Amino acid sequence: MAMLHIVNKSPFEKVSFRSCLNHVSKGDSVLMIEDAAVGALEGTSFSDKLKTAMGDVSVYVLGGDLAARGLSEDRMIDGIKSVDYAGFVDLTVENETTQSWL
Amino acid sequence: MAMLHIVNKSPFEKVSFRSCLNHVSKGDSVLMIEDAAVGALEGTSFSDKLKTAMGDVSVYVLGGDLAARGLSEDRMIDGIKSVDYAGFVDLTVENETTQSWL
Amino acid sequence: MATKKFMFVNRKAPYGTVYALESLEVVLISAAFEQDVSLAFIDDGVYQITKGQNTDGIGQKNFSNTYKALGDYEIKKLYVSKESLEERGLTQDDLMDLVWEDEDDDWAEKPSIIMVDRSEMAAVMAEQEVTLSF
Amino acid sequence: MATKKFMFVNRKAPYGTVYALESLEVVLISAAFEQDVSLAFIDDGVYQITKGQNTDGIGQKNFSNTYKALGDYEIKKLYVSKESLEERGLTQDDLMDLVWEDEDDDWAEKPSIIMVDRSEMAAVMAEQEVTLSF
Amino acid sequence: MKFTIMINEGPYQHQSADSALQYCRAILAQGHEIFRVFFYHDGVNNGSSLSVPPGDDRLIQKEWSELSKEHDLDLVICIAAAQRRGLMDADEAKRQGFDSNNMIEGFRISGLGQLIEGGIESDRTVVFGD
Amino acid sequence: MKFTIMINEGPYQHQSADSALQYCRAILAQGHEIFRVFFYHDGVNNGSSLSVPPGDDRLIQKEWSELSKEHDLDLVICIAAAQRRGLMDADEAKRQGFDSNNMIEGFRISGLGQLIEGGIESDRTVVFGD
């Protein structure tokens, strides 16, 4: 069963994002919302960790949360897809289960 | 002026403790309270970082918070002193200023 | 009612925040619904089940004994992250001795704590149908 | 009333929590007390002053323009951590152009943002008399 | 598809209440069903009737209340969490001997079993928290 | 020595309210003076009058209220933060047209200037939060 992992904390502030990536299964999806959106950027101290994980999982970011923090989508790591809340719902439907990394 | 730095978050969960240690001045004191108390243990993935800082600063832990999490004082890094709330007040008085690393 | 695989994920230390306590309250209620319940203790969540907790100095109630009652409620799968213990300088010896009694085996006491590494924990998580985090 | 050195330490991203917004409200009030005010932006606090913030997608008010008003309130020392920007893949170009007008210099606009490394930030923090964190 | 949502944080302090609200609106807009929204921990404060934020800010509690009315949502506040935090409806206030109450229309107070039932009865359970 | 304390989190959810309470007791036990305790952000919920925790748990709001009475403490709840979160005394409730109010005795509502004044007037300012 594929799982949607929802992360909402900055990878620079809390360990939850890393913990999530340490516990995903191949074929799962990871969605960054709220403060976690800042993790989508290329060229950060976290981006290599995320790019490695992207070999196994699909990664998404809630576009509204990225924009709120002044970050434009063209600075994202290649392969990350931006979604809106409708897309968030779609991801929940497409994956059989969800886990929030609080 | 000497400063008392108060940290209250686990160094394994949040970056605030490391951030504190990156911004202390020689002669300052660091007090671990609440979830930060777990940072007092020897032999963790954080203990080397704290021991290095102890060359410049004095480090204290609120004993009640350590005990609440099932950790005994004999497992602390050498040189860390355990205090109670009265000792917390004393530290606030002895240092001219305080900064809480929230 | 249907039976589903429920997992309660505990990532936070006790007492510093209320999540550990109120999570445990949900776990106890879940027992009444006869679901297939697992608990995961990862990251600072491992501090929830350390032995020897003493809250006299902080003015909060020590609720660690409640974990010992989980076996009586047929909640007997407590997955603990090996890596999380190691990073924190802890071993399984630092954890409470949590057990359940197997009625099919003359009520023999059996361990509830299952030590797993990250890939094993990931496999357990992948099997769940409802995952609640606190 | 006495004049003291006040520092407001901002370590958290805006919108994910209320701290950035309510911290800014305190900073504005402090101006009325004519204190010697400094702000520190470290760790995720640097996201508070990025330019181009657009909150249309999250249902919250965009308050980033308020930082631009700080200069008018004689709040003109905004210390920003170089290392925090770097770790996040940001540069000073990603921050708003925050300025104050120097009345002793024919109201010339001068930058309020002061880029500092960790040891410089530590030195600024060590000078403070009242440090408020949110 | 049927959803249950759990919300662990109160309004304003954390974004989780905002995110959950937007997510619920998107669920409904796509024709899915919300079986239940369960408010736990400080999340119970989303049901407060006494909030008066600045005029240019959102009033999250009222948005929940109105969404509930419009879509006949089942918004459940955990009684144990609510008692700790001082959130109560008129009946509970009366039972406890208080003159005042502070729960906004559209929510109801019930036990933790409602959360587990939501997990069992729904196709998806999604948690918003800190 | 004169202290001002700021508390950023509500009761129960985070330990900061507990820690601050114990710290204030220790200050007073040593004969120091508490100039002011300022409740900000969710910290305003420490002033709620409607909490009814389980019988074997502490009632943090009442402990503040009693400490205030015993030592004539100045416990100040930030009005802007309180309005966002639905915490109000009888006067404010009347002004806003509400039938109910939920502020416990021993606290008063005022503005953010009280925090800055506390910082200026006190020898030490200590912050408790998340």
Side-chain angles (χ1 to χ4, degrees), chain B residues 18-89:
Chain B
R18 285 167 200 273
S19 196
C20 167
L21 296 182
N22 287 335
H23 292 95
V24 292
S25 295
K26 204 171 169 63
D28 284 354
S29 293
V30 174
L31 171 64
M32 299 176 272
I33 70 169
E34 303 177 2
D35 284 347
V38 302
L41 250 62
E42 179 59 277
T44 75
S45 61
F46 176 70
S47 47
D48 279 348
K49 170 89 181 161
L50 186 53
K51 283 191 275 190
T52 303
M54 287 170 70
D56 286 331
V57 299
S58 304
V59 178
Y60 303 84
V61 64
L62 206 49
D65 276 316
L66 195 65
R69 287 151 188 88
L71 307 173
S72 77
E73 294 184 5
D74 54 22
R75 294 173 72 169
M76 295 194 305
I77 293 166
D78 274 349
I80 294 182
K81 295 174 211 68
S82 173
V83 297
D84 59 9
Y85 274 95
F88 182 176
V89 173

Side-chain angles (χ1 to χ4, degrees), chain C residues 30-88:
Chain C
S30 75
F33 288 80
E34 300 189 351
Q35 301 297 302
D36 181 359
V37 172
S38 300
L39 274 63
F41 294 91
I42 55 179
D43 298 326
D44 279 0
V46 300
Y47 295 118
Q48 295 182 19
I49 51 172
T50 54
K51 61 183 170 199
Q53 296 179 24
N54 179 337
T55 60
D56 291 349
I58 62 164
Q60 289 189 47
K61 191 177 61 167
N62 178 352
F63 59 90
S64 61
N65 274 332
T66 311
Y67 294 97
K68 294 184 186 160
L70 292 178
D72 301 336
Y73 291 93
E74 290 292 305
I75 294 168
K76 53 195 185 191
K77 291 184 285 186
L78 277 59
Y79 296 94
V80 177
S81 161
K82 281 181 192 169
E83 290 87 349
S84 298
L85 283 180
E86 279 167 22
E87 287 168 11
R88 287 160 185 77

Side-chain angles (χ1 to χ4, degrees), chain D residues 52-64:
Chain D
Q53 296 179 25
N54 178 338
T55 61
D56 291 348
I58 63 165
Q60 289 189 46
K61 192 177 59 169
N62 178 352
F63 59 90
S64 61

Side-chain angles (χ1 to χ4, degrees), chain C residues 1-4 6 8 12 18-23 25-27 29-30 33 35 61 129-134, chain E residues 6 8-9 14 40-42 80-81 84-85 112-125 127 130:
Chain C
M1 245 179 212
T3 298
K4 280 191 177 178
F6 271 75
F8 299 93
K12 293 167 185 165
V18 81
Y19 305 106
L21 170 62
E22 291 190 331
S23 164
E25 291 178 355
V26 180
V27 170
I29 294 288
S30 75
F33 288 80
Q35 301 297 302
K61 191 177 61 167
E129 294 175 275
V130 180
T131 302
L132 296 179
S133 316
F134 299 91
Chain E
M6 171 162 82
N8 293 346
E9 301 296 329
H14 296 89
Y40 197 38
H41 307 297
D42 271 4
R84 277 202 183 89
R85 289 151 181 96
L112 281 168
Q114 300 276 309
L115 169 62
I116 304 299
E117 189 196 36
I120 295 168
E121 297 294 337
S122 301
D123 303 297
R124 298 289 183 275
T125 302
V127 182
D130 180 30

